[in-house]
Structures are given as structure tokens and as C-alpha cells.
Coordinates of all heavy atoms in Angstrom, one line a residue:
M1 N 67.5 -19.6 -9.1 CA 66.9 -19.9 -10.4 C 65.7 -19.0 -10.7 O 65.1 -18.3 -9.8 CB 66.5 -21.5 -10.4 CG 65.5 -21.7 -9.2 SD 63.7 -21.6 -9.6 CE 63.4 -22.8 -10.8
R2 N 65.3 -18.9 -12.0 CA 64.5 -17.9 -12.4 C 63.3 -18.5 -13.3 O 63.6 -19.4 -14.0 CB 65.0 -16.8 -13.3 CG 66.1 -15.9 -12.5 CD 66.9 -15.0 -13.3 NE 67.5 -14.1 -12.4 CZ 67.3 -12.8 -12.3 NH1 66.6 -12.2 -13.2 NH2 68.0 -12.1 -11.4
K3 N 62.1 -18.1 -13.0 CA 61.0 -18.5 -13.8 C 60.4 -17.3 -14.6 O 60.2 -16.4 -13.9 CB 59.9 -19.2 -13.0 CG 60.3 -20.6 -12.5 CD 59.1 -21.3 -11.8 CE 59.6 -22.5 -11.2 NZ 58.7 -22.9 -10.0
Y4 N 60.1 -17.6 -15.9 CA 59.5 -16.5 -16.7 C 58.1 -16.9 -17.1 O 57.9 -18.1 -17.3 CB 60.4 -16.2 -17.9 CG 61.7 -15.7 -17.5 CD1 62.8 -16.5 -17.2 CD2 61.9 -14.3 -17.5 CE1 64.0 -15.9 -16.9 CE2 63.2 -13.7 -17.2 CZ 64.2 -14.6 -16.9 OH 65.4 -14.0 -16.5
G5 N 57.2 -16.0 -17.2 CA 55.9 -16.3 -17.6 C 55.8 -16.3 -19.1 O 56.9 -16.3 -19.8
K6 N 54.7 -16.6 -19.7 CA 54.5 -16.8 -21.1 C 54.9 -15.6 -21.9 O 55.4 -15.8 -23.1 CB 53.1 -17.2 -21.4 CG 52.6 -18.5 -21.0 CD 51.2 -18.8 -21.4 CE 50.7 -20.1 -20.7 NZ 49.4 -20.1 -20.0
T7 N 54.8 -14.5 -21.4 CA 55.1 -13.2 -22.1 C 56.6 -12.9 -21.9 O 57.1 -11.8 -22.5 CB 54.3 -12.1 -21.6 OG1 54.6 -11.9 -20.2 CG2 52.9 -12.2 -21.7
G8 N 57.4 -13.7 -21.2 CA 58.9 -13.6 -21.0 C 59.1 -12.6 -19.8 O 60.2 -12.3 -19.6
K9 N 58.1 -12.3 -19.1 CA 58.2 -11.4 -17.9 C 58.8 -12.3 -16.8 O 58.2 -13.4 -16.5 CB 56.9 -10.8 -17.6 CG 56.9 -9.8 -16.4 CD 55.6 -9.0 -16.4 CE 55.1 -8.9 -15.0 NZ 54.0 -8.1 -14.9
L10 N 59.7 -11.7 -16.1 CA 60.3 -12.5 -14.9 C 59.2 -12.5 -13.9 O 58.6 -11.6 -13.4 CB 61.4 -11.6 -14.4 CG 62.2 -12.2 -13.1 CD1 62.8 -13.7 -13.5 CD2 63.2 -11.3 -12.7
E11 N 58.9 -13.9 -13.4 CA 57.9 -14.1 -12.4 C 58.5 -14.5 -11.0 O 57.9 -14.0 -10.0 CB 56.9 -15.2 -12.9 CG 55.9 -14.6 -13.9 CD 54.9 -15.6 -14.3 OE1 55.0 -16.8 -14.1 OE2 53.9 -15.1 -15.0
T12 N 59.5 -15.3 -11.1 CA 60.0 -15.9 -9.8 C 61.5 -16.0 -9.8 O 62.0 -16.4 -10.8 CB 59.4 -17.3 -9.6 OG1 58.0 -17.3 -9.7 CG2 59.7 -17.9 -8.2
V13 N 62.1 -15.5 -8.7 CA 63.6 -15.8 -8.5 C 63.7 -16.4 -7.2 O 63.2 -16.0 -6.1 CB 64.3 -14.4 -8.5 CG1 65.8 -14.7 -8.3 CG2 64.1 -13.7 -9.9
I14 N 64.5 -17.5 -7.2 CA 64.7 -18.3 -5.9 C 66.3 -18.5 -5.8 O 67.0 -18.8 -6.7 CB 64.0 -19.8 -5.9 CG1 62.5 -19.6 -6.1 CG2 64.4 -20.6 -4.8 CD1 61.7 -20.7 -6.4
C15 N 66.7 -18.2 -4.6 CA 68.1 -18.3 -4.3 C 68.4 -19.8 -4.4 O 67.9 -20.7 -3.8 CB 68.4 -17.9 -2.9 SG 70.0 -18.2 -2.4
N16 N 69.5 -20.2 -5.2 CA 69.8 -21.5 -5.5 C 70.4 -22.2 -4.2 O 70.5 -23.3 -4.0 CB 70.9 -21.6 -6.6 CG 70.1 -21.5 -8.0 OD1 69.8 -20.5 -8.3 ND2 70.1 -22.7 -8.7
M17 N 71.1 -21.3 -3.3 CA 71.8 -21.8 -2.2 C 70.9 -22.2 -1.0 O 71.0 -23.3 -0.5 CB 72.8 -20.8 -1.8 CG 73.9 -21.3 -0.8 SD 75.4 -20.3 -1.1 CE 76.1 -20.3 0.5
C18 N 69.9 -21.3 -0.7 CA 69.1 -21.5 0.5 C 67.6 -21.7 0.1 O 66.8 -22.1 1.0 CB 69.2 -20.3 1.5 SG 68.4 -18.7 0.9
G19 N 67.3 -21.5 -1.1 CA 65.9 -21.8 -1.4 C 64.9 -20.7 -1.2 O 63.7 -20.8 -1.4
K20 N 65.5 -19.6 -0.7 CA 64.6 -18.4 -0.4 C 64.1 -17.8 -1.7 O 64.6 -17.6 -2.7 CB 65.4 -17.3 0.4 CG 64.7 -16.1 0.7 CD 65.6 -15.0 1.3 CE 65.0 -13.6 1.0 NZ 65.8 -12.6 1.6
K21 N 62.7 -17.5 -1.6 CA 62.1 -16.8 -2.7 C 62.5 -15.2 -2.6 O 62.1 -14.6 -1.6 CB 60.6 -17.0 -2.5 CG 59.9 -16.8 -4.0 CD 58.4 -17.2 -3.8 CE 57.8 -16.7 -5.1 NZ 56.3 -16.9 -5.1
I22 N 63.0 -14.7 -3.7 CA 63.3 -13.4 -3.7 C 62.1 -12.5 -4.2 O 61.4 -13.0 -5.1 CB 64.5 -13.2 -4.5 CG1 65.8 -13.7 -3.7 CG2 64.8 -11.8 -4.9 CD1 66.9 -14.2 -4.6
V23 N 61.9 -11.3 -3.7 CA 60.7 -10.6 -4.0 C 60.8 -10.1 -5.4 O 61.9 -9.3 -5.8 CB 60.5 -9.3 -3.0 CG1 59.4 -8.5 -3.5 CG2 60.4 -9.8 -1.7
V24 N 59.9 -10.3 -6.2 CA 59.9 -9.9 -7.7 C 58.4 -9.2 -7.8 O 57.4 -9.8 -7.5 CB 60.0 -11.0 -8.6 CG1 59.8 -10.6 -10.1 CG2 61.3 -11.8 -8.5
K25 N 58.4 -8.0 -8.3 CA 57.2 -7.3 -8.5 C 57.3 -6.7 -10.0 O 58.3 -6.0 -10.3 CB 56.9 -6.3 -7.5 CG 55.5 -5.9 -7.4 CD 55.2 -4.8 -6.2 CE 53.9 -4.2 -6.5 NZ 53.8 -2.9 -6.1
D26 N 56.2 -6.9 -10.7 CA 56.2 -6.3 -12.1 C 57.5 -6.6 -12.9 O 57.9 -5.9 -13.7 CB 56.0 -4.8 -12.0 CG 54.7 -4.3 -11.3 OD1 53.7 -5.1 -11.4 OD2 54.7 -3.4 -10.6
G27 N 57.9 -7.9 -12.7 CA 59.0 -8.3 -13.5 C 60.4 -7.8 -13.0 O 61.4 -8.1 -13.7
I28 N 60.4 -7.1 -11.9 CA 61.7 -6.6 -11.4 C 62.0 -7.1 -10.1 O 61.1 -7.2 -9.1 CB 61.5 -5.1 -11.4 CG1 61.5 -4.5 -12.9 CG2 62.8 -4.4 -10.8 CD1 61.0 -3.0 -13.0
V29 N 63.2 -7.5 -9.9 CA 63.7 -7.9 -8.5 C 63.8 -6.8 -7.5 O 64.4 -5.8 -7.8 CB 65.2 -8.6 -8.7 CG1 65.7 -9.2 -7.3 CG2 65.0 -9.8 -9.6
R30 N 63.0 -7.0 -6.5 CA 62.8 -5.8 -5.6 C 63.7 -6.0 -4.3 O 63.4 -5.3 -3.3 CB 61.4 -5.7 -5.1 CG 60.4 -5.6 -6.2 CD 60.6 -4.2 -6.8 NE 59.7 -4.0 -8.1 CZ 59.1 -2.9 -8.5 NH1 59.3 -1.9 -7.9 NH2 58.4 -3.0 -9.6
E31 N 64.6 -6.9 -4.3 CA 65.6 -6.9 -3.1 C 67.0 -7.4 -3.6 O 67.1 -7.7 -4.7 CB 65.1 -7.8 -1.9 CG 64.9 -9.3 -2.2 CD 64.5 -10.1 -1.1 OE1 65.1 -10.2 -0.2 OE2 63.4 -10.8 -1.3
G32 N 67.9 -7.3 -2.6 CA 69.3 -7.7 -3.1 C 69.3 -9.2 -3.5 O 69.1 -10.0 -2.8
A33 N 69.9 -9.3 -4.7 CA 70.1 -10.6 -5.3 C 71.2 -10.5 -6.3 O 71.3 -9.4 -6.9 CB 68.8 -11.1 -5.8
A34 N 71.9 -11.6 -6.5 CA 72.9 -11.7 -7.5 C 72.7 -12.8 -8.5 O 72.2 -13.9 -8.1 CB 74.3 -11.9 -6.9
A35 N 72.7 -12.5 -9.8 CA 72.4 -13.4 -10.9 C 73.8 -13.8 -11.5 O 74.5 -13.0 -11.8 CB 71.4 -12.9 -11.9
F36 N 74.0 -15.1 -11.8 CA 75.2 -15.6 -12.4 C 74.9 -16.3 -13.6 O 74.0 -17.2 -13.6 CB 76.0 -16.5 -11.4 CG 76.5 -15.7 -10.1 CD1 75.6 -15.7 -9.1 CD2 77.7 -15.2 -10.2 CE1 76.0 -15.0 -7.9 CE2 78.1 -14.5 -9.0 CZ 77.3 -14.3 -7.9
D37 N 75.6 -16.0 -14.7 CA 75.4 -16.7 -16.0 C 76.8 -17.0 -16.4 O 77.6 -16.0 -16.7 CB 74.8 -15.8 -17.0 CG 73.3 -15.4 -16.6 OD1 72.4 -16.3 -16.6 OD2 73.1 -14.2 -16.1
H38 N 77.2 -18.2 -16.6 CA 78.6 -18.5 -17.0 C 78.6 -19.5 -18.1 O 78.0 -20.6 -17.9 CB 79.4 -18.9 -15.8 CG 80.8 -19.1 -16.2 ND1 81.7 -18.1 -16.5 CD2 81.5 -20.3 -16.4 CE1 82.9 -18.6 -16.8 NE2 82.8 -19.9 -16.8
A39 N 79.2 -19.1 -19.2 CA 79.4 -20.0 -20.3 C 80.7 -20.8 -20.2 O 81.7 -20.1 -20.3 CB 79.2 -19.2 -21.7
W40 N 80.7 -22.0 -20.0 CA 82.0 -22.8 -19.9 C 82.4 -23.0 -21.3 O 81.7 -23.3 -22.2 CB 81.7 -24.1 -19.2 CG 81.3 -24.0 -17.7 CD1 80.2 -23.8 -17.2 CD2 82.3 -23.8 -16.7 NE1 80.3 -23.7 -15.8 CE2 81.5 -23.7 -15.5 CE3 83.7 -23.8 -16.5 CZ2 82.1 -23.5 -14.3 CZ3 84.2 -23.7 -15.4 CH2 83.4 -23.6 -14.2
D41 N 83.9 -22.9 -21.4 CA 84.5 -23.0 -22.7 C 85.2 -24.3 -22.9 O 85.2 -25.3 -22.0 CB 85.2 -21.7 -23.1 CG 86.4 -21.6 -22.1 OD1 86.8 -22.6 -21.5 OD2 87.0 -20.5 -22.0
Y42 N 85.9 -24.4 -24.0 CA 86.7 -25.6 -24.4 C 87.6 -26.1 -23.4 O 87.8 -27.2 -23.4 CB 87.3 -25.1 -25.7 CG 88.2 -26.2 -26.4 CD1 87.6 -27.2 -27.0 CD2 89.6 -26.3 -26.2 CE1 88.3 -28.3 -27.6 CE2 90.4 -27.3 -26.7 CZ 89.7 -28.3 -27.3 OH 90.5 -29.3 -27.9
F43 N 88.2 -25.2 -22.7 CA 89.2 -25.5 -21.7 C 88.6 -26.1 -20.4 O 89.5 -26.5 -19.5 CB 90.2 -24.4 -21.4 CG 90.7 -23.9 -22.7 CD1 90.4 -22.7 -23.3 CD2 91.9 -24.5 -23.2 CE1 91.0 -22.2 -24.5 CE2 92.4 -24.1 -24.5 CZ 92.0 -23.0 -25.1
S44 N 87.4 -26.1 -20.3 CA 86.7 -26.7 -19.2 C 86.3 -28.2 -19.4 O 86.2 -28.5 -20.5 CB 85.6 -25.8 -18.6 OG 84.5 -26.0 -19.5
E45 N 85.8 -28.8 -18.4 CA 85.2 -30.1 -18.6 C 83.6 -29.9 -18.8 O 83.0 -30.9 -19.0 CB 85.4 -31.1 -17.4 CG 86.9 -31.4 -17.5 CD 87.2 -32.2 -16.1 OE1 86.4 -32.6 -15.4 OE2 88.5 -32.4 -15.9
K46 N 83.2 -28.7 -18.9 CA 81.8 -28.4 -19.1 C 81.6 -27.6 -20.4 O 80.7 -26.9 -20.6 CB 81.3 -27.5 -17.9 CG 81.4 -28.2 -16.6 CD 81.0 -27.2 -15.5 CE 81.4 -27.7 -14.2 NZ 82.9 -27.9 -14.0
D47 N 82.4 -27.9 -21.3 CA 82.5 -27.2 -22.6 C 81.0 -27.2 -23.2 O 80.4 -28.2 -23.3 CB 83.4 -27.9 -23.6 CG 83.5 -27.2 -25.0 OD1 83.3 -25.9 -24.9 OD2 83.9 -27.8 -25.9
G48 N 80.6 -26.0 -23.7 CA 79.2 -26.0 -24.2 C 78.2 -25.8 -23.3 O 77.0 -25.5 -23.7
E49 N 78.3 -25.8 -21.9 CA 77.4 -25.6 -21.1 C 77.3 -24.2 -20.5 O 78.3 -23.6 -20.3 CB 77.5 -26.5 -19.8 CG 77.4 -28.0 -20.1 CD 77.6 -28.9 -18.9 OE1 77.6 -28.5 -17.8 OE2 77.9 -30.2 -19.2
V50 N 76.1 -23.7 -20.3 CA 75.9 -22.3 -19.8 C 75.2 -22.7 -18.4 O 74.1 -23.2 -18.4 CB 75.1 -21.5 -20.7 CG1 75.0 -20.0 -20.0 CG2 75.6 -21.4 -22.0
H51 N 75.8 -22.2 -17.4 CA 75.3 -22.3 -16.0 C 74.7 -21.1 -15.5 O 75.3 -20.0 -15.6 CB 76.4 -22.8 -15.1 CG 76.8 -24.2 -15.3 ND1 77.5 -24.9 -14.4 CD2 76.8 -25.0 -16.4 CE1 77.8 -26.2 -14.9 NE2 77.3 -26.1 -16.1
H52 N 73.5 -21.2 -14.9 CA 72.8 -20.0 -14.5 C 72.4 -20.1 -13.0 O 71.9 -21.4 -12.7 CB 71.5 -19.7 -15.2 CG 71.6 -19.6 -16.7 ND1 72.0 -18.4 -17.2 CD2 71.4 -20.5 -17.6 CE1 72.0 -18.6 -18.6 NE2 71.7 -19.9 -18.8
F53 N 72.6 -19.3 -12.2 CA 72.1 -19.4 -10.8 C 71.9 -18.0 -10.2 O 72.4 -17.1 -10.6 CB 72.9 -20.3 -9.9 CG 74.3 -19.9 -9.6 CD1 74.6 -19.2 -8.4 CD2 75.3 -20.3 -10.4 CE1 75.9 -18.9 -8.1 CE2 76.6 -19.9 -10.2 CZ 76.9 -19.2 -9.1
D54 N 71.1 -18.1 -9.1 CA 70.8 -16.8 -8.4 C 71.0 -17.0 -7.0 O 70.8 -18.0 -6.4 CB 69.4 -16.4 -8.6 CG 69.0 -16.0 -10.1 OD1 68.7 -17.0 -10.8 OD2 69.1 -14.8 -10.4
L55 N 71.5 -15.9 -6.3 CA 71.8 -16.0 -4.9 C 71.1 -14.7 -4.2 O 71.1 -13.7 -4.7 CB 73.3 -15.8 -4.5 CG 74.1 -17.0 -5.0 CD1 75.6 -16.9 -4.7 CD2 73.8 -18.4 -4.4
C56 N 70.6 -15.0 -3.0 CA 70.1 -13.8 -2.3 C 71.2 -13.1 -1.6 O 72.4 -13.7 -1.7 CB 69.1 -14.3 -1.1 SG 69.8 -15.3 0.2
E57 N 71.1 -12.0 -1.1 CA 72.2 -11.2 -0.7 C 72.9 -11.8 0.5 O 74.2 -11.8 0.4 CB 71.7 -9.7 -0.3 CG 72.9 -8.8 -0.1 CD 72.4 -7.3 0.0 OE1 71.3 -7.1 0.1 OE2 73.3 -6.4 0.1
S58 N 72.2 -12.5 1.4 CA 73.0 -13.0 2.5 C 73.7 -14.3 2.1 O 74.9 -14.5 2.5 CB 72.1 -13.4 3.7 OG 71.1 -14.3 3.3
C59 N 73.3 -15.1 1.1 CA 74.1 -16.2 0.6 C 75.2 -15.8 -0.2 O 76.4 -16.2 -0.3 CB 73.2 -17.1 -0.3 SG 72.1 -18.1 0.7
Y60 N 75.0 -14.7 -0.9 CA 76.2 -14.0 -1.7 C 77.3 -13.6 -0.7 O 78.4 -13.9 -1.0 CB 75.6 -12.8 -2.5 CG 76.7 -12.1 -3.2 CD1 77.2 -12.4 -4.5 CD2 77.4 -11.0 -2.5 CE1 78.3 -11.7 -5.0 CE2 78.5 -10.3 -3.1 CZ 78.9 -10.7 -4.4 OH 79.9 -10.1 -4.9
D61 N 76.9 -13.0 0.4 CA 77.8 -12.6 1.4 C 78.5 -13.6 2.0 O 79.8 -13.7 2.2 CB 77.1 -11.7 2.5 CG 76.6 -10.3 2.0 OD1 77.1 -9.9 1.0 OD2 75.8 -9.7 2.7
E62 N 77.8 -14.8 2.2 CA 78.5 -16.0 2.8 C 79.4 -16.6 1.8 O 80.5 -17.0 2.1 CB 77.3 -17.0 3.1 CG 77.7 -18.1 4.0 CD 76.5 -19.1 4.3 OE1 75.4 -18.7 4.4 OE2 76.9 -20.3 4.2
L63 N 79.1 -16.7 0.5 CA 79.9 -17.3 -0.5 C 81.2 -16.4 -0.7 O 82.2 -17.0 -0.5 CB 79.2 -17.3 -1.8 CG 80.0 -17.9 -2.9 CD1 80.0 -19.4 -2.9 CD2 79.3 -17.4 -4.3
V64 N 81.1 -15.1 -0.8 CA 82.3 -14.3 -1.1 C 83.1 -14.1 0.2 O 84.2 -14.0 0.2 CB 82.0 -13.0 -1.7 CG1 81.2 -13.1 -3.1 CG2 81.2 -12.0 -0.8
G65 N 82.4 -14.3 1.4 CA 83.1 -14.4 2.7 C 84.0 -15.4 2.8 O 85.0 -15.4 3.6
G66 N 84.0 -16.6 2.0 CA 84.8 -17.7 2.0 C 86.0 -17.5 1.1 O 86.8 -18.3 1.0
F67 N 86.0 -16.5 0.3 CA 87.0 -16.2 -0.6 C 88.4 -15.9 0.0 O 88.4 -15.2 1.0 CB 86.7 -15.0 -1.6 CG 85.7 -15.3 -2.6 CD1 85.0 -16.5 -2.7 CD2 85.4 -14.3 -3.7 CE1 84.0 -16.8 -3.7 CE2 84.4 -14.6 -4.5 CZ 83.7 -15.8 -4.6
Q68 N 89.5 -16.4 -0.6 CA 90.9 -16.0 -0.1 C 91.2 -14.5 -0.4 O 91.9 -13.9 0.4 CB 91.9 -16.9 -0.6 CG 91.9 -18.4 -0.1 CD 92.2 -18.5 1.3 OE1 93.1 -17.9 1.8 NE2 91.4 -19.3 2.0
I69 N 90.6 -14.1 -1.5 CA 90.9 -12.8 -2.0 C 89.5 -12.2 -2.1 O 88.7 -12.7 -2.8 CB 91.7 -12.8 -3.3 CG1 93.1 -13.4 -3.1 CG2 91.8 -11.4 -3.9 CD1 93.7 -14.0 -4.4
P70 N 89.3 -11.0 -1.6 CA 88.0 -10.4 -1.6 C 87.5 -10.0 -3.0 O 88.4 -9.8 -3.9 CB 88.1 -9.2 -0.7 CG 89.5 -8.9 -0.5 CD 90.3 -10.2 -0.7
V71 N 86.3 -9.8 -3.2 CA 85.8 -9.4 -4.5 C 86.3 -8.0 -4.8 O 86.5 -7.2 -3.8 CB 84.3 -9.5 -4.7 CG1 83.8 -11.0 -4.6 CG2 83.5 -8.6 -3.7
D72 N 86.5 -7.6 -6.1 CA 86.7 -6.3 -6.4 C 85.4 -5.5 -6.4 O 84.4 -5.9 -7.0 CB 87.3 -6.2 -8.0 CG 88.7 -6.7 -8.0 OD1 89.5 -6.4 -7.0 OD2 89.1 -7.4 -9.0
V73 N 85.4 -4.4 -5.8 CA 84.2 -3.6 -5.6 C 84.5 -2.2 -6.2 O 85.6 -1.6 -5.9 CB 83.8 -3.4 -4.1 CG1 82.6 -2.5 -4.1 CG2 83.5 -4.8 -3.5
E74 N 83.6 -1.8 -7.1 CA 83.8 -0.4 -7.6 C 82.5 0.3 -7.7 O 81.4 -0.4 -7.7 CB 84.3 -0.7 -9.1 CG 83.5 0.0 -10.2 CD 84.1 -0.4 -11.6 OE1 84.3 -1.6 -11.8 OE2 84.4 0.5 -12.3
E75 N 82.5 1.5 -7.4 CA 81.3 2.3 -7.4 C 80.7 2.5 -8.8 O 81.4 2.8 -9.7 CB 81.5 3.7 -6.8 CG 82.0 3.7 -5.3 CD 80.8 3.2 -4.3 OE1 79.8 3.5 -4.6 OE2 81.2 2.5 -3.3
Q76 N 79.4 2.3 -8.9 CA 78.7 2.5 -10.1 C 78.7 4.1 -10.3 O 78.3 4.7 -9.4 CB 77.4 2.0 -10.2 CG 77.3 0.4 -10.3 CD 76.0 0.0 -10.5 OE1 75.6 -0.6 -11.6 NE2 75.0 0.3 -9.6
T77 N 79.0 4.5 -11.5 CA 78.8 5.9 -11.7 C 77.4 6.3 -12.1 O 77.0 7.4 -11.8 CB 79.8 6.3 -13.0 OG1 79.6 5.5 -14.0 CG2 81.3 6.2 -12.5
E78 N 76.7 5.3 -12.6 CA 75.3 5.7 -13.0 C 74.5 4.4 -12.4 O 74.8 3.4 -12.6 CB 75.2 5.6 -14.5 CG 74.1 6.5 -15.0 CD 74.3 6.5 -16.5 OE1 75.2 6.9 -17.1 OE2 73.3 6.1 -17.1
L79 N 73.5 4.8 -11.6 CA 72.6 3.7 -11.1 C 71.7 3.2 -12.3 O 71.1 4.0 -12.9 CB 71.6 4.2 -10.0 CG 72.4 4.5 -8.7 CD1 71.5 5.1 -7.6 CD2 73.1 3.2 -8.1
L80 N 71.7 1.8 -12.2 CA 70.9 1.2 -13.4 C 69.5 1.3 -13.1 O 68.9 1.2 -12.0 CB 71.3 -0.3 -13.6 CG 72.8 -0.4 -14.0 CD1 73.1 -1.8 -14.0 CD2 73.1 0.3 -15.3
Ligands
ZN1 ZN1 70.0 -17.6 -0.1

């Protein structure tokens, strides 16, 4: 989960899975973390809901480690 200050600057990121506080400095996440934003559509039972959550890198690894089929990994051509 993410908390933003009055100016819209990112202040806090907490891993939804383990509750760990992820390092944020000057509005930028400074360690490995993954943000998920998913808009459920008409064909789901959550139609109209947008779900947001954040995972620290170790919880991400744990989550995807349980997948039957591994995630698709591609090299970024340009670092963001
Ligand atoms: Zn975590």
C-alpha cells in the first residue's frame, strides 16, 4: 500500500504481504518493490473495482515462486 502527502508526493510504501516498510526517499522507491494495479472488468465478480497493492522483493519472489509457470522475463532496453 502507498501513502501520498498533500502535494501528491509518494511518502510511504508498505509491502501488503509482510507489512515491511519499503525505503522511499524524495518520493522515489529506493529498493526492490513491485506495484500492482488491476482494474477488474465486467467478466469478473469485482466489476468496476480497481485493486492496488505493493510487494517487497522477497514477497514477490515468494509469490511468483509458487507459480506453475514462471513469469515472463525480458531485459529492459532502456533503464527507467
Ligand atoms: Zn514483503
Side-chain angles (χ1 to χ4, degrees):
M1 57 92 66
R2 292 173 170 238
K3 281 187 193 157
Y4 294 89
K6 285 181 189 133
T7 58
K9 186 167 136 181
L10 181 64
E11 285 185 342
T12 310
V13 179
I14 295 169
C15 173
N16 283 70
M17 197 153 148
C18 71
K20 180 189 152 176
K21 200 172 169 188
I22 291 157
V23 178
V24 175
K25 200 178 166 219
D26 300 327
I28 296 167
V29 176
R30 304 283 177 156
E31 67 179 299
F36 296 86
D37 298 288
H38 185 71
W40 291 94
D41 65 16
Y42 179 77
F43 300 101
S44 72
E45 288 172 11
K46 301 173 192 59
D47 183 26
E49 296 180 12
V50 183
H51 290 198
H52 305 278
F53 64 94
D54 294 87
L55 295 177
C56 70
E57 193 168 4
S58 62
C59 287
Y60 174 86
D61 289 344
E62 196 181 320
L63 179 77
V64 303
F67 286 2
Q68 290 295 316
I69 297 162
V71 297
D72 283 325
V73 178
E74 130 185 48
E75 294 293 325
Q76 286 188 117
T77 48
E78 210 176 298
L79 287 176
L80 300 174

